[in-house]
Amino acid sequence: MLSVIQASSPSGNYAGQHIDAILPGPAHIFRQIKLWTVWPFAVQNNAIAAKFYKLFTLALAGLVGASLLRKHKSPMLLWTLAWLVIPLLLIIAFCYLNIPIWELRYVLFVSPYLFILLAAGITRLWKQWKVSAIVIGIGYLIAVSGGLVEYYTVQQRPDYKFNIATIEKYEQPGDGIVWSYYYTKALDRYYDGTADIYHLTIRDVKTDTDLQKWVSQVPTDYSRLWLVEDSKNPLQDDLKKMIAKTYDIKQLFEYELGSKVMLLTPLE
């Protein structure tokens, strides 16, 4: 803990990478029950599914409680609860005292203790109320199945990989790339080419004035320039029109989540 505090002073690089992270509260701990067990995604697009998963999260929390509400509590279960809760409380304290580091993958190491408590809860339920245990089991099967279907059929990550694959397929020596995503590590992971890369995030572009200023920063000394447009840009149509005043859009590639890749050349 002390070594992390030293490395994450407000003036350090580590702090800069986490400046937009969440300051967690009790709801974030409660929400991990759903994320770790049945639905590891941020949202449900279907309103009925969203209500189902909220209710089922309450049921899972009840199972944890059932594992602990006994006249003769098992010391092993109390230790299990401690290993689940205490590290999370320390991380929350660190977030408020230093910088926010609350990320799902950072706290995932305590999830096995949650599963132990859930198993103890379903065991107690089975011994005393078999019908309730069967209902919970069926609900769990439905919830997990929904999560697996979502995982295998819906693209959850942005189009980074596909954007870069398009560029690598068609790029030529001397090309340049303008990367408008806020996240840049995708380039390190997926891009193996040699083009010059310019990072001009478009996330904070909200008005036409902002957009005009952003376009003015796009380099003009390339015969071929790849513009990778973030799908979260609310001014996509305006950007295309403004770019067309300065560049010839030779090719336009569109992707599933709304991002675009434009091959630009100077106007003749």
Side-chain angles (χ1 to χ4, degrees):
M1 181 69 77
L2 291 175
S3 64
V4 174
I5 290 175
Q6 288 178 338
S8 60
S9 62
S11 60
N13 293 330
Y14 185 84
Q17 295 172 3
H18 291 79
I19 195 169
D20 295 325
I22 297 169
L23 277 173
H28 290 93
I29 295 180
F30 184 75
R31 192 164 177 255
Q32 303 310 311
I33 298 175
K34 177 186 74 171
L35 296 175
W36 287 339
T37 57
V38 292
W39 187 269
F41 311 109
V43 296
Q44 293 87 33
N45 294 324
N46 184 287
I48 296 176
K51 290 180 180 179
F52 167 74
Y53 280 100
K54 286 180 181 178
L55 291 174
F56 196 72
T57 302
L58 291 173
L60 292 176
L63 276 181
V64 174
S67 70
L68 299 170
L69 295 176
R70 296 183 179 181
K71 291 183 179 179
H72 304 288
K73 297 182 180 67
S74 166
M76 298 298 290
L77 284 182
L78 294 178
W79 275 113
T80 300
L81 178 65
W83 280 109
L84 171 67
V85 174
I86 292 176
L88 295 181
L89 293 178
L90 289 173
I91 291 173
I92 290 174
F94 182 87
C95 290
Y96 282 90
L97 293 173
N98 198 281
I99 59 168
I101 57 170
W102 184 271
E103 296 282 354
L104 180 59
R105 62 185 182 274
Y106 293 171
V107 296
L108 191 63
F109 69 96
V110 301
S111 62
Y113 306 108
L114 172 64
F115 281 95
I116 293 171
L117 293 174
L118 288 174
I122 198 71
T123 299
R124 185 187 178 205
L125 207 62
W126 178 256
K127 288 179 179 178
Q128 296 187 352
W129 301 285
K130 284 185 171 57
V131 174
S132 298
I134 292 172
V135 171
I136 290 292
I138 293 173
Y140 201 102
L141 178 63
I142 294 172
V144 169
S145 298
L148 289 172
V149 169
E150 181 83 4
Y151 181 82
Y152 284 107
T153 61
V154 178
Q155 182 180 326
Q156 296 292 336
R157 291 184 176 274
D159 297 311
Y160 308 134
K161 184 176 181 179
F162 308 108
N163 300 150
I164 294 172
T166 298
I167 294 174
E168 289 187 331
K169 183 177 180 180
Y170 298 106
E171 71 177 338
Q172 297 178 9
D175 286 0
I177 298 173
V178 173
W179 185 259
S180 72
Y181 287 105
Y182 178 78
Y183 185 70
T184 59
K185 289 184 179 179
L187 287 164
D188 298 330
R189 177 170 295 181
Y190 298 120
Y191 184 61
D192 295 322
T194 59
D196 296 332
I197 298 173
Y198 298 85
H199 181 218
L200 298 177
T201 179
I202 205 167
R203 187 179 67 170
D204 297 325
V205 173
K206 306 297 183 184
T207 65
D208 289 339
T209 303
D210 294 337
L211 185 60
Q212 191 169 8
K213 182 179 179 181
W214 187 90
V215 172
S216 68
Q217 299 178 69
V218 175
T220 58
D221 52 349
Y222 287 89
S223 59
R224 285 165 46 97
L225 185 67
W226 296 96
L227 172 57
V228 182
E229 184 182 356
D230 189 348
S231 59
K232 295 182 180 180
N233 173 24
L235 303 173
Q236 284 191 339
D237 293 337
D238 294 334
L239 173 61
K240 185 178 178 181
K241 294 176 182 176
M242 202 169 292
I243 286 291
K245 294 179 181 179
T246 312
Y247 302 91
D248 184 12
I249 302 176
K250 287 293 186 181
Q251 287 183 285
L252 174 64
F253 303 89
E254 298 179 299
Y255 302 85
E256 182 178 346
L257 296 186
S259 67
K260 294 180 176 64
V261 170
M262 303 180 195
L263 175 59
L264 311 178
T265 59
L267 288 173
E268 297 180 358

